Each structure stands twice: as C-alpha cells, then as structure tokens.
Amino acid sequence: MTESLKDHIKRRAGVIAERLELELTVAGTEYAPLERAVFKATKNNTKTPKEKHVLVLNKNIADGNYAKTVLKMLARRLKEVGAAGTSASNIAAGMKTLAVWHRCLNSGDSTFIALCSQYSHVLEPPTGNAMGQMYAAYLREVLNSYSCIKYAYHRETSFESSKITKVGTLEVVDHTPIIMAQLVRILECDLQGGLIDVKTRNAVQYCINMLIIDLMPLFNALDLAMTRIKDSIGQMEPEDAERLAAFYGKFAKMPEKILTLLKQVSFDRDASPPVTNFDRGTLKEFKTRVEKVNAKLKTDDHHPDTIKALAEVAKSEYESVVSQGIAKISMDEVETTQHKDPPKAAPAAPAAPAATVSTNLLDDLFDAPPAPAAAATIAAPAAAAKTEEWDPFGSPPAPAAAAATMPAAKPFNPFEDDMPAMGGGGGGGAAQNDPFGGDPFAAVSGGGGGDLMGGFGGG
C-alpha cells in the first residue's frame, strides 16, 4: 500500500507545522539542541530514526544533569504523537519514539535505565496504537526487572560470560522468573501487521530488530539458568522446585517460537539499527544455538517431565524429613499434660551444723608432742649441727659427709712412728725422737719458751 500524493502533502504539512511550533517554543533556550534531536528522531515520516540524532541523545544521557531532561522530553513526545490521532503517520511516530527510548536504555552505562526504572509509569503509549502497547509493555517489563535485581540481562554481550553463571543458587531462583518474563513479553509482540502499510513498515521493522537484539542475550541467560536448575532442583525447597519446574516447562516451548520470530528479521539498510551486535553472523550463530537447545529439550534427560519428576522427588524427600523430625502429639495428650498436677518437690536434706573453731586448739597444737615425721624433720638440722666442733681459731671443720668417706686413721705406735708436732716453732725447737730422753713438753711447745701454753702459740 503506497502513500497517495494527498496523504504525502498532508503529512509533510503536519511535520512543517510541528517544526515551526518547536522553534518558536525552544529557540534560544539551553535545551534547544535536545528538543530538536528528539523531534527529528521521532517525526512522523516513513523513515527510521536518524542515527545522528540518536547519538546526540545518547551523549547527553551519559551526563547526569541532562538524563532526566531527556526522559521528560521522550515522555512528552509520546503523549504528543498520541494526541494527534490514530493515523498511520502518528502510529509510526509513536513506534519511533519507543524505539529511540529503547536505544537510550541500551546505551552507555546503566545510569539512564536506573533513572527510568523509577518512573516506569510515564511510559504509556496511546490506547489506539496496539503495536505501541505491546512494545511499551516489554519496555516497562525491562524497567521493572531492573528495579528488582539491579541488573540488565538484555545488555549482555557475547564477549563476557553471563552473570547467571556467577550468582548463587538462591539468586538463580530469583532471577530466572524475571528473565523469563522479559522473554515472554518479547514473544508477545506481534508486530507483523505494521509491515503491511508503507507508512509504518520501516518504523515497525526497526522495532522488531531492536527486540531481537534483546532476545539473544536474554535467551542465552535463561538457557544457562535452566541448566543450573536442572542440576540442583533436587536440593531446592519444595516450593521453589515446583515453581521452577513449571518455568522449565514454559522454557521448553520457547525455542520454536523464537525460531518463528527470527524469520521476521530484516537487514535492510533502511530498517537496521547500526549496532555492533546485530549482523548476519551473530544472528546465524544464535539461530544454531536455539536449534540445539530445542533438540536437547526433546531428550529424556532434559525433558520437562523429567524435571517435574525431580521436583516431586525433592518434595517427597523434604516431607519425609519433616515428618521424621517433628513429634506427633494428639490434642488429648496436650490437654492431659496441661491439667496434670505438677510433681511435688523432694524434701530438702537437713543442713549440716556449722563448723566451730575452739581457741584451745592453738594451745593443744604447741603442747602436744610432734608427729614422728615432724620430729625427724626437726631433729635433722640439729644432728648436722652437732657434727661440727668448735674451733677457737676459726678453721672450718671437715663436713660430716667428707669425714665419712676418708680412710680410717692408722693407730699411733710410739716405738715405730715419729711424734707429730702439734705446734710450729718460731725459731727452733725440733721434735724429739726419744720419748725417754729430754723434756716431753719440748716437742709440743717447740722452741722458745718453757711454758706449756707457749707450745700452742709458737716461740
């Protein structure tokens, strides 16, 4: 269906009128470049959004000061194209506005998508645009998913591993329904009707290509999640296992629908978004993977009925463990226990009399004779002290132990041995060998004096 000359002139006149109104409103203001970029990228013509205008918006949303401004402009533009009526030109303008919004969500870091997730209610296309309603439902699902898990699986690339392989089992249980909800929204977007009209063909095809760009990473993440669920469903809680088994059944039906949707892809220059992850090689590789997954799901090990049986086994095992660990008590036993008199306490044992201390014990302690062991302990030092003889000149006596080890002294023979000198002579006085000749005290005293005590002192 081609556009008539009358419709073409009417549409062009409307575009010129909108442009004049825009210039009269925003000319000379700070945000005039952004207003012009939004208008030129979403004007109601038969072409797709121009890339140079989309890049202007992507550059400004990277700045935190202009991100909210771009969000307000896109929301206002979506209302403007809906208020003008439900003609084919306005439907195309509405689809282009949603596609530009979609491009902004996928560009740069996650700053803009985090901002839009707080205001997802403003993404409301007109009720007369059925295709716009389906497309907007998917975009709102993206924003709601990001607000729940703070991550965008649809933005993952083939150059990095999916986050679903790095999170724990509990997070897999939480993320899997969210990923599946986004995939369901994409598969519900039946936009083929817009390909018939020449006025909306390029805009609708552009939107289909954008949906398939998001479809590829979402399906890859969901496939990895289902593989992890299959391996660990036997260790999950019964409720989680049953719920995820139902999701697995839905996942088994998706590959065929995805293969049908891939037939709507168009690499026409007028309808292809110029992004790096959208080319023939990438699409062919993805299609091969979907076919492999579809064939895998038909085998016995990966069939949905097998996963459902594993979930039932996990549920039965959990119930058996709970039934064994919890004691079953009837209500009659509970009531009997409550009305039963408490047991009487045993009589307390009589207290032992307090110990008393007599002051006479101290006297007895000193008056009584010591014990044998104590007496031996006391007598030992006294005996050691008695072995030591008093020496008036201070010479230390030999210890008792040393005296015991010394050899016995030879008895003195006066006829064979010499008389030992008991005192040293000062200048003469030798010992006398003859005991019968001479003075016997001379040997004792030495030379010097004739006093008996002088012999001890020397001459």
Side-chain angles (χ1 to χ4, degrees):
M1 181 179 179
T2 59
E3 184 180 17
S4 63
L5 179 60
K6 181 179 179 180
D7 293 339
H8 178 73
I9 294 174
K10 184 179 180 179
R11 180 179 56 78
R12 293 292 297 174
V15 172
I16 294 172
E18 287 182 354
R19 178 64 185 276
L20 290 175
E21 182 181 0
L22 176 67
E23 292 296 335
L24 291 174
T25 305
V26 302
T29 62
E30 180 182 358
Y31 304 110
L34 292 178
E35 293 282 3
R36 295 189 185 100
V38 171
F39 174 78
K40 292 180 180 180
T42 62
K43 60 184 178 182
N44 53 353
N45 56 12
T46 59
K47 299 179 181 180
T48 58
K50 286 188 176 182
E51 188 64 17
K52 64 178 182 179
H53 304 310
V54 177
L55 292 178
V56 171
L57 297 177
N58 291 343
K59 182 179 179 180
N60 283 272
I61 63 176
D63 188 354
N65 298 328
Y66 293 99
K68 188 173 290 188
T69 302
V70 174
L71 173 60
K72 293 179 181 178
M73 292 178 181
L74 291 173
R76 186 178 69 246
R77 179 61 179 169
L78 197 59
K79 291 182 179 180
E80 291 175 357
V81 297
T86 56
S87 62
S89 299
N90 294 328
I91 291 176
M95 298 298 291
K96 290 169 67 175
T97 304
L98 292 173
V100 171
W101 203 328
H102 193 179
R103 287 288 304 276
C104 293
L105 292 176
N106 291 355
S107 66
D109 55 6
S110 58
T111 303
F112 190 69
I113 189 174
L115 174 65
C116 293
S117 63
Q118 304 175 12
Y119 305 96
S120 59
H121 59 280
V122 302
L123 210 159
E124 287 291 343
T127 56
N129 189 348
M131 293 181 291
Q133 289 286 339
M134 291 185 288
Y135 194 15
Y138 164 69
L139 295 180
R140 283 197 301 270
E141 190 66 39
V142 169
L143 299 180
N144 293 334
S145 300
Y146 186 87
S147 63
C148 292
I149 61 177
K150 305 302 179 184
Y151 187 75
Y153 281 98
H154 70 281
R155 297 184 54 173
E156 291 184 340
T157 62
S158 58
F159 303 103
E160 58 183 358
S161 58
S162 178
K163 183 181 178 180
I164 201 68
T165 61
K166 305 175 184 177
V167 298
T169 304
L170 296 178
E171 291 179 330
V172 172
V173 174
D174 295 336
H175 291 193
T176 300
I178 294 175
I179 300 173
M180 180 169 285
Q182 297 180 59
L183 273 174
V184 170
R185 288 295 185 182
I186 291 178
L187 297 176
E188 289 177 352
C189 291
D190 187 8
L191 308 181
Q192 296 184 73
L195 301 176
I196 300 174
D197 195 343
V198 68
K199 299 177 183 178
T200 60
R201 181 181 302 166
N202 291 332
V204 172
Q205 187 63 60
Y206 190 91
C207 295
I208 292 175
N209 292 341
M210 288 294 301
L211 290 173
I212 291 176
I213 291 174
D214 287 5
L215 173 67
M216 293 187 284
L218 286 174
F219 180 79
N220 293 337
L222 186 60
D223 182 29
L224 296 172
M226 289 302 171
T227 302
R228 294 191 60 180
I229 288 172
K230 172 186 171 296
D231 297 336
S232 60
I233 195 170
Q235 291 79 29
M236 292 183 180
E237 297 290 337
E239 297 180 357
D240 295 338
E242 187 176 359
R243 182 165 58 99
L244 292 177
F247 286 141
Y248 196 93
K250 295 180 181 179
F251 170 72
K253 302 176 182 178
M254 285 186 173
E256 295 182 356
K257 296 181 179 179
I258 292 174
L259 292 174
T260 303
L261 181 60
L262 292 178
K263 298 178 181 179
Q264 303 178 17
V265 177
S266 175
F267 291 97
D268 189 3
R269 184 177 180 182
D270 297 335
S272 299
V275 293
T276 56
N277 55 345
F278 184 74
D279 52 37
R280 296 181 185 274
T282 303
L283 186 65
K284 184 178 179 180
E285 183 180 354
F286 175 70
K287 184 177 180 180
T288 303
R289 176 168 185 174
V290 175
E291 292 174 349
K292 290 182 179 179
V293 171
N294 190 28
K296 180 181 68 175
L297 292 173
K298 294 180 181 179
T299 60
D300 294 339
D301 294 340
H302 298 82
H303 197 273
D305 294 339
T306 304
I307 306 303
K308 186 177 180 180
L310 292 175
E312 292 177 356
V313 170
K315 182 178 180 180
S316 61
E317 290 181 356
Y318 179 82
E319 291 177 353
S320 63
V321 171
V322 172
S323 62
Q324 293 176 3
I326 299 177
K328 295 182 179 179
I329 303 175
S330 62
M331 293 301 298
D332 296 337
E333 294 176 354
V334 174
E335 293 178 357
T336 303
T337 304
Q338 291 179 350
H339 295 289
K340 188 177 181 180
D341 296 334
K344 296 182 179 180
T356 58
V357 179
S358 175
T359 56
N360 297 329
L361 293 178
L362 299 177
D363 299 336
D364 298 340
L365 179 63
F366 292 100
D367 296 340
T377 304
I378 298 172
K386 290 179 180 180
T387 58
E388 299 179 0
E389 298 180 355
W390 174 78
D391 186 5
F393 302 102
S395 58
T405 58
M406 292 178 64
K410 184 179 179 181
F412 173 72
N413 188 352
F415 300 99
E416 294 180 0
D417 298 335
D418 296 336
M419 178 65 69
M422 300 181 62
Q432 301 293 329
N433 293 330
D434 187 4
F436 301 100
D439 189 1
F441 294 99
V444 179
S445 61
D451 191 4
L452 177 62
M453 297 302 295
F456 294 97

